[in-house]
Amino acid sequence: MMLLETGSRILANHLTRIDLQYTTSKDLPKYDQFEHLIGKLSGIELCTLPIGKQLRYDVIERAQCMKLVVAITILTCGSDSERAEILNKWIQVAVDTKTALGNLFGFSNIMLGLMMPQIQRLSVTWHVLRQKFTDSAFSFEAKLRPTLKSMNECTNPNAPNTTIPYMLPLILLQERSLEDLSSQNSLECLNLVSSCITCWETSSSDFGLTI
């Protein structure tokens, strides 16, 4: 499989390069509604503005697609041993994406895929991972999982080498209506909302809005 044959740093570099096109680059896709702003605003700046709605949708779609790619490459393997190898590869990519490249957005996308219930329920695969790739298993449980949890709880300050911040919760929050906040309406990005926002919305009396 090509995924196994490619180094984790190469994969992390490629994912980060694509993420940069949507976030920090000023060479944004040519959306008609803000064509006059091309070259003036970065993707992150545009995501905070009302006219950046289409870009926010694209960023959410990017997160959803990466999450599913991670899960599908693991679930479609023919054996637990092969699944463990793919799992190990994605853990290495997650480490490189966050630690070496400072891409917290890309890191969260990979981790959301690894944290899906369908992946977490692969008990035999995780057992094989602990046997054959002990360092990766330890890194996931002791470092990566707690890091994602603290990022979602807003208790983890950005590292000095951050290139792309963890912007997904802000974007998801911007796309929620008052009805969504007060009810359990179904959303296309409901799973992302549950993973990224619900934990701090439900853990404080002010729904996590205190600054």
Side-chain angles (χ1 to χ4, degrees):
M1 182 183 290
M2 185 178 298
L3 182 63
L4 293 176
E5 296 171 355
T6 307
S8 59
R9 181 65 64 86
I10 295 176
L11 292 171
N13 283 334
H14 174 73
L15 294 176
T16 300
R17 181 174 63 84
I18 301 301
D19 290 338
L20 285 170
Q21 293 179 3
Y22 286 94
T23 54
T24 61
S25 174
K26 294 188 177 183
D27 297 325
L28 298 168
K30 300 299 188 289
Y31 301 121
D32 293 338
Q33 61 267 38
F34 52 80
E35 187 174 0
H36 62 289
L37 294 176
I38 300 299
K40 299 179 182 178
L41 295 177
S42 69
I44 291 179
E45 292 171 316
L46 194 57
C47 279
T48 64
L49 301 176
I51 59 174
K53 192 175 189 68
Q54 182 59 54
L55 184 58
R56 288 195 293 273
Y57 282 162
D58 289 345
V59 171
I60 292 173
E61 183 179 18
R62 167 74 175 167
Q64 284 278 36
C65 288
M66 273 308 306
K67 171 184 172 181
L68 293 177
V69 164
V70 171
I72 289 172
T73 54
I74 296 172
L75 293 173
T76 55
C77 292
S79 65
D80 288 308
S81 178
E82 187 179 354
R83 274 193 288 271
E85 290 186 32
I86 297 295
L87 190 56
N88 171 62
K89 175 65 70 173
W90 280 120
I91 291 174
Q92 291 177 340
V93 174
V95 171
D96 285 335
T97 301
K98 178 184 182 296
T99 306
L101 301 177
N103 179 3
L104 299 184
F105 173 67
F107 166 76
S108 66
N109 296 341
I110 296 171
M111 285 299 296
L112 288 172
L114 296 176
M115 295 291 291
M116 288 181 66
Q118 294 87 341
I119 303 300
Q120 292 295 302
R121 284 197 293 261
L122 299 173
S123 56
V124 177
T125 299
W126 287 100
H127 179 69
V128 174
L129 180 76
R130 295 184 187 98
Q131 287 184 323
K132 296 180 62 177
F133 308 101
T134 306
D135 289 344
S136 289
F138 175 80
S139 179
F140 179 82
E141 295 293 344
K143 298 178 181 179
L144 303 186
R145 190 200 294 265
T147 296
L148 181 66
K149 183 175 184 293
S150 61
M151 286 167 57
N152 284 328
E153 293 176 348
C154 304
T155 59
N156 182 43
N158 287 343
N161 70 328
T162 298
T163 55
I164 305 178
Y166 184 39
M167 54 193 290
L168 192 55
L170 173 62
I171 292 176
L172 291 171
L173 191 60
Q174 285 179 287
E175 291 306 312
R176 299 185 77 184
S177 64
L178 291 176
E179 290 76 14
D180 297 327
L181 292 173
S182 60
S183 66
Q184 298 297 323
N185 291 343
S186 60
L187 300 171
E188 290 184 6
C189 53
L190 181 59
N191 289 333
L192 286 179
V193 170
S194 176
S195 300
C196 302
I197 296 180
T198 303
C199 59
W200 55 262
E201 277 189 340
T202 57
S203 62
S204 60
S205 58
D206 61 355
F207 299 100
L209 296 179
T210 296
I211 299 178

